[in-house]
Amino acid sequence: MRRLFAVLLLFPLLSFGQYQQPDGAAIKLRMKKLNVLASVLYVAAHPDDENTRIITYMANDYLATAGYLSMTRGDGGQNLIGPEIRDLLGLIRTQELLAARRIDGGEQFFTRANDFGFSKSAQETFDIWGKQNIMADVVKVFRQYQPDVIITRFPPDERAGHGHHTASAILAQEAFDLAADANTFPEQVKEYGTWQIKRLYTNTGRWWNNTINESTPGIVTLHVGGYSPLLGTSFTEIAAVSRSQHKSQGFGSSGTRGDQVEFLEYVKGERVEKNIFENINTTWSRVAGGERIQPVVDKAIREFDIEKPEQSIPILFQIRKEISKLSPGVWRSRKLTEVEQLIQDCLGIYVGVSANQYWGAPGQKVIVNFELVNRSGANVNVTRIASPVLSFDTAFSLPLKNNIPVLLKTRKSISNSASYSDPYWLKKPHTPGFFQVDDPQNIGRPENKPAVLFSVSIDLSGEKLVMDVPLKFKWTDPTKGELYRPFEIVPPVFVNVGSSTIIFSDDKPREVKVTLKSAGDSVMTGKLRLTVPAGWKTEPAFHEIKLSVRDEELTTSFMVLPTALEGTFRLNAVAEIDGQGMFENGLQTISYDHIPTQTLLPKAEVKAVRINLKKEGNVIGYVKGAGDDVPAALRTMGYEVWEMRNDEVTTENLKRVDAVVLGVRAVNTNERIGFLMPALLDYVKNGGTMVVQYNTSFDLEADQFSPYPISISRDRVTEEDAEVRILKPDHVVLNSPNLITQKDFDGWVQERGLYYPNKWDANYEALLSMNDKGEPAKEGSLLVAKYGSGYYVYTGISFFRELPEGVAGSFKLFANLVSLGKPKKIEHAKVKNKMK
């Protein structure tokens, strides 16, 4: 593990906001990289589409500058580690990509495209994304990054298997030419100029063309499985660790050893025979005046002492001086950054800047602690520390003696004009396919710049070096040790609503709770209001509020009286703080061990769904799957939900519930599900109702998860407005306790459903038919079978998306599913519906 850890430190990386000092082996490899002027950009559609083997090989073996451009942030996928979906999942998967790049040494880029879910054609994808907008982003990244070579993951046609995949290849191929055209997006040309990429190849030999081998004419073979004696690991082992960061997708990967190959197929530009960088000058002589730099770097590599890296500092400053003489350009900028980082690494200098809290509001004072340690024999003198956001700019003459720590502390105010730290692409409402980004400088960036950045200037025997150090919060966990999270700028008060969706099933008032949390350090007074639609009323009209200390919380409630009009409405909570203004942002954090803590500031709003919803039963047993928010929706309906642990799924406990629901992909992800199924199926046989939500056909943890055979396919209906045809209008599920009509399928989001069964036993009744345009009807979305005296339901309908979004029809249909088995009321409703 020590050698593998060294690999993680090949490049200057911020691990959860804290720079990690590389060891001597990693420094030497990065010094060798200083002599390679080659760049490659991998292009695909989603997080986890990238080939980490190729990125790792390019960055660590070939020592090229390597990057990955993902069209989307993976917002439309599924989440195997928690309930977050859509924007929240996109935030997780963004950070997983950054975690992967910290390991494999690549850079990360995005467009403004929103992953709206599975797409069956590139045309649909472009219609929803807005092709010209995303093309502008791809061209910008090409011009800004200036890759020599583009490698796409997918072919530009239906073989790619997903409209987003196909679209990513089409965009890359068209942008190949457009990036060199001064008449295309001329506003970009003013800043970045044009760029002619040498060649574009596709990473082939995959499912669409798996007959390719090393002897296939025209194919370029990359031997990506090399071993680094310097690092003590193979590049495919590094790639596996990188790949395994995609935890929300369940992409843990085993490292491989020995020769491994990847194949590249020609698409555009200059052809090559064997080397993807053939006929590209990757030495310093490619830059005017660079030929004098190569020998100096060669000397630095030869003379590098792995146990005395500080001895290389003088020659590294010499290299920096020579690079600084070059004309402005991408290689000058890249190599200046690399050599300055090498100087810092050879010094072994530690500069830590931590705050006494992990967030602060504009105008608020923050205590900042500095820890500076020179861990070398070099003469280091700190001359200046500055941070514009904290209005801090102090000149010093502070010598740092070898291995003697210097601790400083200051208390400064955050600028009143500082912007909040919520993710830049989520600051404004977005369409299903496109994020609104106001600052063009953010386009392409994976995440916000640090909220507070310090520049620390040092003098080394007359040479100057400036280090950028982000402000962070540091603490010690009793089991995990020293931990960090980014310092963030937030509103002085958070306004959090108790539930994002509330069902008003009749005209009776419902309670809406609002919790205020102080992020400021002064007394705040004012009023809290809940704005409601015309005709609705709140009691009281407002609350007088007072928050006296930081982190204080105040929970209030409003009784909201709806009208009789059915529909979906918005309720907004707003805090008016005396002398400071109106605040309506809540606080939402996402915390997993493999990514930094993420902070979102969503609007304090409630989706209020006014429907005449009826239900039967009181207690629902819920067996967790891959993670979803369906239990919260059931509670909103008025059910008591028992989220059952595996050891609680017993015959006796099941007698206490009115229905059982299996979470999404429970049969895929719950390793004990096979042992639970006998009790669950007996529960159904003895009169219970079980609703099983979608699973995939691979990695099933139980062969028998249904009383009668079901064959799960990859069938799905991705058009959320696809026509839904009711096959059995008299069936109890469609009549009681709520009458279901085609109108109840209006307003659905992202999709109808996924992984429908395509074959099933005759005991099942298929209730619905639907299909995307131009495709045959699919009737496996909702199957219901009588088993013994109970009901078994299997459904691929995406309730896990629709219920959190407050889709009225999904609430009515799901209520009917869990209400099955209540004979008196069911029969009465069925008769009443027939009479209509």
Side-chain angles (χ1 to χ4, degrees):
M1 283 302 294
R2 192 201 72 78
R3 301 307 300 169
L4 185 55
F5 186 65
V7 173
L8 310 189
L9 304 177
L10 283 174
F11 299 89
L13 26 119
L14 291 173
S15 177
F16 295 21
Q18 176 61 28
Y19 172 75
Q20 300 291 318
Q21 171 67 33
D23 65 15
I27 292 174
K28 182 168 185 179
L29 194 65
R30 288 183 44 234
M31 197 174 287
K32 294 170 70 176
K33 184 183 181 74
L34 192 60
N35 243 356
V36 179
L37 281 69
S39 59
V40 59
L41 185 65
Y42 202 92
V43 180
H46 309 107
D48 73 41
D49 283 344
E50 85 276 25
N51 188 329
T52 59
R53 298 184 357 152
I54 288 182
I55 294 173
T56 302
Y57 164 78
M58 289 293 177
N60 299 274
D61 192 355
Y62 204 96
L63 299 180
T65 300
Y68 175 45
L69 171 59
S70 178
M71 297 296 147
T72 76
R73 298 174 184 269
D75 326 73
Q78 286 80 52
N79 184 359
L80 293 184
I81 61 174
E84 298 89 358
I85 57 175
R86 304 191 76 177
D87 290 350
L88 304 184
L89 178 58
L91 192 56
I92 291 171
R93 297 185 70 187
T94 293
Q95 291 300 320
E96 289 178 337
L97 269 180
L98 289 171
R101 297 296 81 77
R102 285 192 289 267
I103 290 166
D104 60 36
E107 299 179 51
Q108 185 60 53
F109 304 94
F110 290 98
T111 76
R112 290 171 289 174
N114 182 21
D115 178 357
F116 56 84
F118 189 86
S119 174
K120 294 181 179 178
S121 73
Q123 187 57 56
E124 179 198 34
T125 296
F126 289 140
D127 289 344
I128 295 174
W129 282 354
K131 182 180 179 182
Q132 192 69 357
N133 288 328
I134 308 307
M135 181 64 77
D137 295 357
V138 176
V139 170
K140 180 194 174 186
V141 172
F142 284 10
R143 287 170 170 170
Q144 185 177 10
Y145 186 70
Q146 295 187 14
D148 296 317
V149 177
I150 297 291
I151 300 175
T152 60
R153 178 67 156 177
F154 303 107
D157 51 45
E158 65 278 358
R159 293 175 298 162
H162 190 315
H164 299 177
H165 294 171
T166 306
S168 72
I170 292 172
L171 287 164
Q173 291 188 19
E174 294 183 8
F176 181 94
D177 297 315
L178 296 177
D181 181 0
N183 295 317
T184 300
F185 309 120
E187 69 284 355
Q188 295 179 8
V189 176
K190 295 175 184 177
E191 185 168 2
Y192 305 110
T194 60
W195 181 245
Q196 180 59 66
I197 302 154
K198 294 294 184 184
R199 56 187 61 104
L200 188 154
Y201 275 69
T202 293
N203 188 187
T204 190
R206 320 207 77 78
W207 67 84
W208 67 85
N209 199 358
N210 57 13
T211 61
I212 283 178
N213 56 48
E214 293 185 58
S215 61
T216 303
I219 291 297
V220 175
T221 302
L222 303 180
H223 291 271
V224 298
Y227 173 76
S228 171
L230 190 62
L231 300 173
T233 188
S234 66
F235 302 113
T236 43
E237 288 176 289
I238 302 172
V241 179
S242 173
R243 182 73 170 164
S244 297
Q245 301 312 300
H246 296 298
K247 299 184 189 301
S248 65
Q249 297 302 104
F251 280 166
S253 178
S254 298
T256 57
R257 287 144 293 278
D259 187 40
Q260 304 287 324
V261 294
E262 292 285 345
F263 301 117
L264 304 181
E265 184 176 9
Y266 172 80
V267 179
K268 301 193 77 163
E270 299 175 1
R271 292 180 181 270
V272 298
E273 294 295 325
K274 294 182 178 180
N275 187 336
I276 195 64
F277 290 106
E278 276 177 25
N279 304 318
I280 297 174
N281 186 352
T282 63
T283 70
W284 275 106
S285 62
R286 77 178 290 173
V287 182
E291 60 278 353
R292 61 180 178 267
I293 299 173
Q294 189 104 16
V296 188
V297 178
D298 288 338
K299 181 180 179 183
I301 295 169
R302 274 195 318 272
E303 296 179 352
F304 177 70
D305 188 333
I306 200 167
E307 295 188 18
K308 297 178 182 178
E310 69 272 15
Q311 293 182 354
S312 293
I313 292 174
I315 196 169
L316 289 172
F317 272 121
Q318 182 183 347
I319 294 169
R320 185 181 74 164
K321 183 178 180 180
E322 294 298 330
I323 296 174
S324 299
K325 295 176 183 178
L326 301 175
S327 299
V330 69
W331 286 113
R332 180 182 185 275
S333 299
R334 278 179 184 151
K335 295 305 177 179
L336 273 177
T337 299
E338 288 181 24
V339 74
E340 289 183 343
Q341 190 62 56
L342 274 167
I343 294 168
Q344 180 180 339
D345 295 340
C346 288
L347 271 175
I349 191 169
Y350 177 88
V351 180
V353 188
S354 59
N356 64 324
Q357 56 210 39
Y358 43 77
W359 59 49
Q364 178 182 333
K365 291 188 178 298
V366 179
I367 295 174
V368 180
N369 295 282
F370 299 87
E371 180 184 359
L372 304 100
V373 188
N374 168 25
R375 295 176 289 190
S376 75
N379 294 319
V380 177
N381 188 49
V382 179
T383 59
R384 181 171 175 260
I385 300 178
S387 175
V389 175
L390 294 184
S391 301
F392 181 75
D393 193 343
T394 302
F396 291 92
S397 180
L398 180 62
L400 297 182
K401 297 180 181 180
N402 187 9
N403 213 32
I404 304 298
V406 174
L407 305 179
L408 305 172
K409 179 182 288 189
T410 189
R411 189 168 183 259
K412 293 293 180 180
S413 296
I414 300 171
S415 170
N416 286 314
S417 61
S419 59
Y420 298 152
S421 298
D422 48 330
Y424 74 81
W425 66 94
L426 297 178
K427 285 181 179 289
K428 288 196 169 184
H430 60 79
T431 68
F434 186 71
F435 291 110
Q436 177 73 35
V437 177
D438 287 344
D439 184 355
Q441 293 299 316
N442 280 329
I443 296 173
R445 286 178 180 161
E447 61 179 342
N448 295 4
K449 289 185 174 181
V452 178
L453 195 65
F454 284 87
S455 62
V456 180
S457 302
I458 64 175
D459 180 284
L460 292 94
S461 302
E463 296 286 357
K464 310 298 182 185
L465 183 68
V466 179
M467 296 178 290
D468 290 330
V469 185
L471 182 63
K472 61 188 180 299
F473 176 70
K474 179 176 72 172
W475 77 103
T476 302
D477 182 273
T479 59
K480 299 174 184 177
E482 188 175 85
L483 297 175
Y484 300 88
R485 62 181 286 183
F487 179 84
E488 294 168 307
I489 298 174
V490 298
V493 61
F494 302 117
V495 185
N496 293 308
V497 292
S499 176
S500 60
T501 302
I502 296 180
I503 301 297
F504 289 82
S505 57
D506 50 37
D507 58 3
K508 294 184 175 62
R510 294 286 307 274
E511 182 183 44
V512 175
K513 291 185 176 181
V514 181
T515 298
L516 301 180
K517 182 181 177 71
S518 173
D521 52 7
S522 59
V523 176
M524 290 183 287
T525 60
K527 293 181 172 64
L528 175 67
R529 304 179 189 276
L530 189 66
T531 61
V532 295
W536 293 47
K537 297 179 180 178
T538 68
E539 178 62 37
F542 62 87
H543 286 282
E544 297 281 356
I545 56 174
K546 181 179 180 180
L547 296 169
S548 302
V549 296
R550 178 182 167 84
D551 291 333
E552 180 180 0
E553 293 189 8
L554 173 66
T555 299
T556 62
S557 63
F558 295 87
M559 295 305 295
V560 178
L561 182 67
T563 64
L565 179 66
E566 289 191 310
T568 300
F569 306 91
R570 299 281 179 178
L571 315 179
N572 293 88
V574 181
E576 181 180 355
I577 304 299
D578 296 339
Q580 296 191 49
M582 314 284 284
F583 299 94
E584 56 180 357
N585 290 97
L587 170 67
Q588 188 168 12
T589 58
I590 300 174
S591 181
Y592 291 101
D593 286 347
H594 66 301
I595 61 173
T597 298
Q598 299 297 296
T599 299
L600 294 93
L601 304 174
K603 296 294 184 192
E605 65 179 19
V606 178
K607 184 177 286 187
V609 183
R610 175 66 181 93
I611 53 174
N612 294 315
L613 180 70
K614 300 179 179 64
K615 71 177 185 67
E616 299 293 344
N618 297 302
V619 182
I620 305 295
Y622 203 89
V623 180
K624 183 180 177 181
D628 58 62
D629 267 345
V630 172
L634 287 165
R635 292 186 179 99
T636 297
M637 295 182 201
Y639 284 107
E640 177 185 343
V641 181
W642 180 4
E643 296 188 56
M644 306 178 80
R645 300 190 311 268
N646 285 342
D647 63 337
E648 293 176 327
V649 182
T650 65
T651 299
E652 286 304 310
N653 284 340
L654 291 171
K655 292 177 182 178
R656 298 161 54 188
V657 302
D658 296 299
V660 173
V661 178
L662 268 59
V664 297
R665 296 178 71 170
V667 187
N668 295 130
T669 60
N670 189 328
E671 295 179 356
R672 298 284 303 168
I673 199 71
F675 299 96
L676 307 183
M677 272 300 165
L680 289 168
L681 292 176
D682 280 347
Y683 163 76
V684 176
K685 190 174 184 179
N686 293 325
T689 297
M690 181 163 69
V691 180
V692 180
Q693 297 183 84
Y694 95 94
N695 294 275
T696 65
S697 57
F698 49 90
D699 292 335
L700 291 170
E701 296 289 346
D703 294 329
Q704 188 174 350
F705 57 87
S706 57
Y708 312 111
I710 288 177
S711 178
I712 302 173
S713 73
R714 297 182 62 85
D715 288 351
R716 60 175 80 202
V717 176
T718 64
E719 296 168 8
E720 63 268 28
D721 59 352
E723 179 189 0
V724 176
R725 298 170 292 278
I726 295 176
L727 299 176
K728 297 194 174 184
D730 292 337
H731 196 281
V732 60
V733 163
L734 303 174
N735 286 271
S736 178
N738 304 286
L739 176 63
I740 304 298
T741 69
Q742 286 182 323
K743 185 179 179 181
D744 291 304
F745 295 96
D746 293 344
W748 288 48
V749 299
Q750 185 162 321
E751 62 197 2
R752 290 297 190 191
L754 63 171
Y755 294 105
Y756 295 166
N758 59 356
K759 297 178 183 178
W760 51 86
D761 187 89
N763 284 288
Y764 292 103
E765 293 183 273
L767 305 186
L768 303 174
S769 174
M770 60 189 76
N771 56 272
D772 288 325
K773 294 182 181 68
E775 295 191 353
K778 295 175 175 60
E779 299 182 352
S781 64
L782 181 57
L783 305 176
V784 180
K786 199 79 170 64
Y787 179 57
S789 54
Y791 286 92
Y792 177 92
V793 179
Y794 190 93
T795 178
I797 293 174
S798 59
F799 287 108
F800 71 102
R801 297 196 191 280
E802 312 310 322
L803 294 171
E805 290 293 322
V807 177
S810 71
F811 276 90
K812 292 169 67 176
L813 181 54
F814 207 82
N816 284 11
L817 295 177
V818 295
S819 295
L820 273 169
K822 311 299 183 294
K824 290 184 179 179
K825 293 187 178 181
I826 285 177
E827 289 302 320
H828 175 73
K830 188 174 180 180
V831 170
K832 185 176 180 181
N833 188 41
K834 281 186 175 180
M835 290 175 65
K836 290 181 181 180

